[in-house]
Amino acid sequence: MSVAAAANQQQNLTAAESDPQTLGWMQGFPPPQDRTITFQNGSFRSFPELRWAWSNIRQLVPTVNVWRGAGPASVLPRADHDIGASASVTMDGRPMTFARMLEETYADGIAVLHRGKLIYERYFGALRPHKPHIAMSVTKSFTGTLAGILIAKGKIDPQAPITDYVPELKASAFGDARVHEAMDMTTGLKYTEVYTDKNSDVWGLRRANGMAPIEPGYEGATNIFDFLCAQQKQGEHGKAFAYKTVNTDVLAWICRRASGMTLSDLLSERIWAPMGAEEDAHYHVDRIGTESGGGGLSTTLRDLARFGETIRNHGRFNGRQIVPSQVVEDIARGGDPEKFKPAGYTTLPGASYRNQWWVTHNAHGAFMARGVYGQGLYIDPKAEIVIARYASHPAAGNAANDPVTLPAYMALAKDLMAGG
Amino acid sequence: MSVAAAANQQQNLTAAESDPQTLGWMQGFPPPQDRTITFQNGSFRSFPELRWAWSNIRQLVPTVNVWRGAGPASVLPRADHDIGASASVTMDGRPMTFARMLEETYADGIAVLHRGKLIYERYFGALRPHKPHIAMSVTKSFTGTLAGILIAKGKIDPQAPITDYVPELKASAFGDARVHEAMDMTTGLKYTEVYTDKNSDVWGLRRANGMAPIEPGYEGATNIFDFLCAQQKQGEHGKAFAYKTVNTDVLAWICRRASGMTLSDLLSERIWAPMGAEEDAHYHVDRIGTESGGGGLSTTLRDLARFGETIRNHGRFNGRQIVPSQVVEDIARGGDPEKFKPAGYTTLPGASYRNQWWVTHNAHGAFMARGVYGQGLYIDPKAEIVIARYASHPAAGNAANDPVTLPAYMALAKDLMAGG
């Protein structure tokens, strides 16, 4: 079989067939050479290797801890309810169940909260309840929420020029942009983020943020800050939404400068410790110790669910107001769907993007944190549901998940509202 | 000032002068270029940079978690007692106090337990109570204790050839050695471990275990297993103690093969969770995910103290027998001082090395775990004392610490035994 044919066959492996334990990835001491995943050769980013890697990222790259604090974990009350048979119809018209949806979309784990109770929790692949899984761009919604907290405290002015906080960005694309434009991703940037294109600028960001090796002779930025300072403008700021991770990295920098804290300490102090996280989280860091605020957070599934429940409860959880309620309400209200529309997300008609969250504007007012390869946090205020999900889908883009997952979430919400 | 003169001046910085916060190392977003510590340029290994790095190693290299489990932390009862004025005389005849000893030997933290109570706990430099600090070769005593547990359970036979567990070592120096010879470091190896010599084999081990960058064109081993398989014999096995870290890495491999577990999971299951550790620990890993069992563990100071107290109590702690008592007794009895003597440790007259622990054979039967740059766990059974200590001394070898620390520990023991 040719290499291409073998690769193609691997791409077609189902979730069960690509289980890293079944395939023997990183099993044994040492693992067999053809079952070894390394950072250096880039294999961790390929399917099916990523099925192991997204649950073990700290073994591949340097990280910084997000401390859960010394207190007890907050209680997540349980009320087991097997929702596996909840029936839906995919966007392309196929009948589906909740359990089958998890398989088809390569879930590594799912936790469903209904009215604050953990009704359904499953783990697959290499994920375990106490192990952090990389959140990918779900990280952005944490950064956006931290920025919201700092805005509520008067430490960041969303209308201020970005250069008020990071003057070094003066000569970059961000030199004439405002904080809220980075928060809502409406800056005009030359930067491209096309995961399937090896020449896309996102690869430069990955080299800079430490998630891709640097080849000898590489002349691009080797840390996040230098990469941000080199971004060039294209088009106008404030006109249209364009999903570009560098906005979040800029926002993370604004948070650091405004708080005087690392992003990891800020997350620990403001959210992780007060919400009574069960386990520490971590960010992967670049070569000078900077957290990737755009995609580098890893958490356990249950802690992601706790964060979702905090947001669903207007910022209140574990007996205290963790996120000011107006921060959550600003997110839930959403941004301008007209600015979102030109981006062409066919699976998210009528949606908007606000403060690093995706807002559906559907009948339930659902909003989401989303990350490549199927990471997600789905909050349905009307149905009082939070769905935390980690995954390792063969395809990066969520267009591969949405047609199956989003109808399943909506069907589940209706079932639960009907008492089903 | 010449570079050499500047370097020399830095070498002479006191603990207070070299405080990483005071010097501004890794402070700011981003830190100034001349105050940035990176893995790639090797600066983390120089003084005073290492004063920051030994408390932040996971930001520099990949790591694997040692889970503390889901239970509560075990209680370390407190009975504050300011022993800072405890007086001693250094091996070179200078009057000293306990507090001054900590400064002179660049302690990052010290925790003293007396009869199971935490009487004295101090943090300096970049260390904080909840942050793990690299234990360096104190790691070896954890590996030795885990091996002891597996021996007690009949999973490892100390008299068996190493190749019974790791046949791939057949053609190496370990091909005709027995397990106990690796445990007691009496194998005959060509490998040299001279920290001040850039050509010493220890640098090859560091490249292999991921603690030193690999230069383009480097043809040596790029993972621990390959490095071990390439070790050559010199002299005879079983004749004399020679401190060579590769023995511990071989022992760690025997533990993995005998238990079917990674070293991190083994430590978590057998020691970290049962002893009720306060925080997770971690190992740094090589490029294929193997823990450095010879020097890669990082723990909080208090958890190191808990482990010391477990050993002092013949393996019993947190209401359960964690390490079989005969494992501890075998360690405490020590090895053969005649085999130790030729190694020429002038600060440890009459001592021996047993199962990866240093045994003083002094009047109190004290024994120790020791690591470069001043890491240590000191157990004095007669005085019922445990001293856990992390440090970032400018010099790697403990000959720089022993003349000041060991008399201070003995003086403190006498003070506390006298009720002082």
Side-chain angles (χ1 to χ4, degrees):
Chain A
M1 195 181 333
S2 73
V3 172
N8 190 47
Q9 194 180 63
Q10 291 206 325
Q11 287 287 337
N12 289 331
L13 294 175
T14 65
E17 288 163 356
S18 63
D19 181 283
Q21 186 95 24
T22 307
L23 290 182
W25 287 106
M26 296 300 269
Q27 306 294 314
F29 316 106
Q33 214 162 0
D34 69 348
R35 284 294 177 268
T36 298
I37 296 166
T38 76
F39 172 74
Q40 285 73 22
N41 70 13
S43 57
F44 73 103
R45 198 179 286 286
S46 306
F47 182 86
E49 289 94 322
L50 59 81
R51 298 224 61 201
W52 178 87
W54 297 165
S55 291
N56 290 284
I57 201 73
R58 71 177 282 180
Q59 294 190 40
L60 298 166
V61 289
T63 52
V64 63
N65 199 46
V66 177
W67 191 39
R68 58 171 296 284
S74 57
V75 175
L76 267 189
R78 284 176 179 273
D80 281 346
H81 180 170
D82 190 351
I83 55 171
S86 172
S88 56
V89 177
T90 66
M91 288 184 191
D92 55 355
R94 292 181 298 127
M96 182 61 51
T97 65
F98 201 84
R100 175 77 195 133
M101 172 274 290
L102 297 176
E103 273 181 63
E104 263 205 20
T105 56
Y106 299 82
D108 290 328
I110 190 123
V112 179
L113 298 179
H114 182 220
R115 296 184 180 145
K117 291 192 174 129
L118 187 58
I119 61 165
Y120 191 76
E121 183 186 18
R122 295 289 187 279
Y123 293 89
F124 310 94
L127 192 59
R128 299 293 176 267
H130 70 278
K131 283 188 77 173
H133 186 289
I134 190 162
M136 297 294 181
S137 294
V138 168
T139 306
K140 292 181 172 70
S141 306
F142 284 90
T143 307
T145 305
L146 289 170
I149 293 172
L150 294 172
I151 288 169
K153 298 202 171 286
K155 296 205 171 182
I156 295 176
D157 173 3
Q159 300 302 327
I162 288 169
T163 52
D164 277 10
Y165 304 92
V166 193
E168 297 94 325
L169 291 170
K170 189 71 210 170
S172 80
F174 301 100
D176 61 347
R178 295 180 182 275
V179 172
H180 72 89
E181 290 159 344
M183 278 186 89
D184 292 343
M185 295 221 195
T186 61
T187 51
L189 302 174
K190 198 173 160 201
Y191 172 94
T192 60
E193 185 147 338
V194 183
Y195 303 105
T196 48
D197 177 4
K198 292 266 175 185
N199 295 316
S200 174
D201 294 324
V202 71
W203 280 93
L205 177 59
R206 284 174 179 163
R207 287 188 192 92
N209 73 22
M211 276 290 273
I214 292 196
E215 308 82 358
Y218 181 69
E219 291 185 350
T222 59
N223 65 63
I224 299 172
F225 194 68
D226 289 350
F227 190 80
L228 298 179
C229 289
Q231 292 310 301
Q232 292 171 32
K233 191 173 174 180
Q234 186 172 289
E236 275 183 82
H237 299 319
K239 295 292 173 196
F241 166 72
Y243 187 78
K244 300 185 173 189
T245 295
V246 285
N247 285 295
T248 321
D249 283 309
V250 164
L251 186 62
W253 230 286
I254 294 167
C255 290
R256 292 180 188 107
R257 292 274 174 96
S259 68
M261 294 172 80
T262 61
L263 199 62
S264 36
D265 284 346
L266 189 63
L267 179 58
S268 169
E269 182 182 297
R270 297 289 182 177
I271 298 177
W272 227 243
M275 85 173 185
E278 207 167 299
E279 299 291 338
D280 293 347
H282 55 76
Y283 285 98
H284 75 75
V285 293
D286 71 6
R287 291 162 190 81
I288 62 170
T290 318
E291 305 93 344
S292 164
L297 185 65
S298 290
T299 79
T300 67
L301 187 63
R302 282 188 204 143
D303 287 334
L304 181 62
R306 280 182 174 87
F307 177 63
E309 185 63 11
T310 304
I311 298 299
R312 187 185 74 80
N313 286 316
H314 302 267
R316 197 173 170 79
F317 188 72
N318 197 25
R320 69 195 81 177
Q321 192 71 35
I322 297 168
V323 182
S325 60
Q326 72 268 31
V327 173
V328 177
E329 281 141 26
D330 185 14
I331 292 163
R333 242 188 330 265
D336 183 351
E338 286 308 310
K339 288 187 179 171
F340 185 85
K341 207 172 188 177
Y345 288 83
T346 54
T347 59
L348 300 172
S352 73
Y353 192 83
R354 180 66 175 171
N355 295 359
Q356 308 282 312
W357 290 78
W358 304 77
V359 184
T360 65
H361 298 280
N362 69 9
H364 289 194
F367 55 105
M368 302 179 275
R370 292 158 61 87
V372 282
Y373 302 100
Q375 324 314 324
L377 181 59
Y378 183 89
I379 298 170
D380 181 332
K382 188 163 182 194
E384 301 167 272
I385 288 174
V386 168
I387 302 173
R389 169 193 152 90
Y390 282 135
S392 44
H393 197 285
N398 274 313
N401 287 294
D402 287 344
V404 187
T405 54
L406 294 181
Y409 296 169
M410 189 48 105
L412 175 66
K414 287 178 181 163
D415 286 356
L416 292 173
M417 286 171 78
Chain B
M1 194 180 340
S2 73
V3 171
N8 189 49
Q9 194 181 61
Q10 292 207 325
Q11 287 288 336
N12 290 329
L13 293 175
T14 65
E17 288 163 356
S18 62
D19 181 283
Q21 186 95 23
T22 309
L23 290 182
W25 287 107
M26 297 299 269
Q27 306 295 315
F29 315 107
Q33 214 164 1
D34 68 347
R35 285 292 177 271
T36 298
I37 296 166
T38 76
F39 171 74
Q40 286 72 23
N41 70 13
S43 58
F44 73 102
R45 198 179 287 286
S46 306
F47 182 87
E49 289 93 323
L50 59 81
R51 299 225 60 203
W52 179 86
W54 297 164
S55 292
N56 291 284
I57 202 73
R58 72 178 282 182
Q59 294 190 38
L60 298 165
V61 290
T63 52
V64 62
N65 199 47
V66 177
W67 191 40
R68 58 172 297 284
S74 57
V75 175
L76 265 190
R78 284 177 179 271
D80 280 345
H81 181 170
D82 190 350
I83 56 171
S86 171
S88 57
V89 177
T90 67
M91 288 184 191
D92 55 355
R94 292 181 298 125
M96 183 60 52
T97 64
F98 201 85
R100 175 79 195 129
M101 172 275 288
L102 297 175
E103 275 181 62
E104 264 204 19
T105 57
Y106 299 82
D108 289 329
I110 190 124
V112 179
L113 298 179
H114 182 219
R115 296 182 180 147
K117 290 191 174 129
L118 186 58
I119 62 165
Y120 191 77
E121 184 186 17
R122 296 288 186 279
Y123 294 89
F124 310 94
L127 192 59
R128 300 292 175 269
H130 69 277
K131 285 188 76 173
H133 186 289
I134 190 163
M136 299 293 182
S137 294
V138 167
T139 307
K140 293 181 171 70
S141 306
F142 283 91
T143 307
T145 305
L146 289 171
I149 293 172
L150 293 172
I151 289 170
K153 298 201 171 285
K155 296 205 172 182
I156 296 175
D157 173 3
Q159 299 303 325
I162 288 170
T163 52
D164 276 10
Y165 304 92
V166 194
E168 296 95 324
L169 290 170
K170 189 71 209 170
S172 80
F174 301 100
D176 61 347
R178 293 179 183 276
V179 172
H180 73 87
E181 290 159 345
M183 278 187 89
D184 292 343
M185 295 223 195
T186 60
T187 51
L189 302 174
K190 197 173 161 202
Y191 172 92
T192 61
E193 185 147 337
V194 183
Y195 302 103
T196 49
D197 177 3
K198 291 268 174 183
N199 295 315
S200 173
D201 295 323
V202 71
W203 280 93
L205 177 59
R206 283 174 180 164
R207 287 189 191 90
N209 73 24
M211 277 289 273
I214 292 195
E215 308 82 357
Y218 180 70
E219 292 185 349
T222 59
N223 66 62
I224 298 172
F225 194 68
D226 289 350
F227 190 80
L228 297 179
C229 289
Q231 292 308 302
Q232 292 170 33
K233 191 172 176 182
Q234 184 171 289
E236 276 183 81
H237 299 320
K239 295 294 174 193
F241 166 73
Y243 187 79
K244 300 185 175 189
T245 295
V246 284
N247 285 295
T248 321
D249 282 310
V250 165
L251 186 63
W253 230 286
I254 294 168
C255 290
R256 292 180 188 107
R257 292 273 174 98
S259 68
M261 294 173 78
T262 61
L263 199 62
S264 36
D265 283 346
L266 188 63
L267 179 57
S268 170
E269 181 182 299
R270 297 289 183 178
I271 298 177
W272 226 243
M275 86 173 185
E278 209 167 298
E279 299 292 338
D280 292 347
H282 55 76
Y283 285 98
H284 76 75
V285 292
D286 70 6
R287 292 163 189 80
I288 61 169
T290 318
E291 306 94 343
S292 163
L297 186 66
S298 288
T299 79
T300 68
L301 187 63
R302 281 187 205 144
D303 286 334
L304 181 62
R306 280 182 174 87
F307 177 63
E309 185 63 9
T310 304
I311 298 298
R312 187 186 75 78
N313 286 316
H314 302 268
R316 198 173 168 79
F317 187 72
N318 197 26
R320 68 195 81 175
Q321 192 72 34
I322 297 168
V323 182
S325 60
Q326 71 267 30
V327 173
V328 177
E329 280 141 27
D330 184 16
I331 292 163
R333 244 189 329 268
D336 183 351
E338 286 308 308
K339 287 186 181 172
F340 186 84
K341 207 173 188 177
Y345 288 83
T346 55
T347 60
L348 299 172
S352 72
Y353 192 82
R354 180 66 175 171
N355 295 359
Q356 309 281 312
W357 289 80
W358 305 77
V359 184
T360 66
H361 298 281
N362 70 8
H364 288 193
F367 55 104
M368 302 179 277
R370 292 156 63 85
V372 282
Y373 302 100
Q375 324 315 324
L377 181 58
Y378 183 90
I379 298 170
D380 180 331
K382 189 165 180 192
E384 300 167 275
I385 288 174
V386 168
I387 302 174
R389 169 195 152 87
Y390 281 134
S392 45
H393 196 287
N398 274 313
N401 286 295
D402 288 344
V404 187
T405 54
L406 294 181
Y409 295 169
M410 189 47 106
L412 175 66
K414 286 178 181 161
D415 286 356
L416 292 173
M417 286 171 78

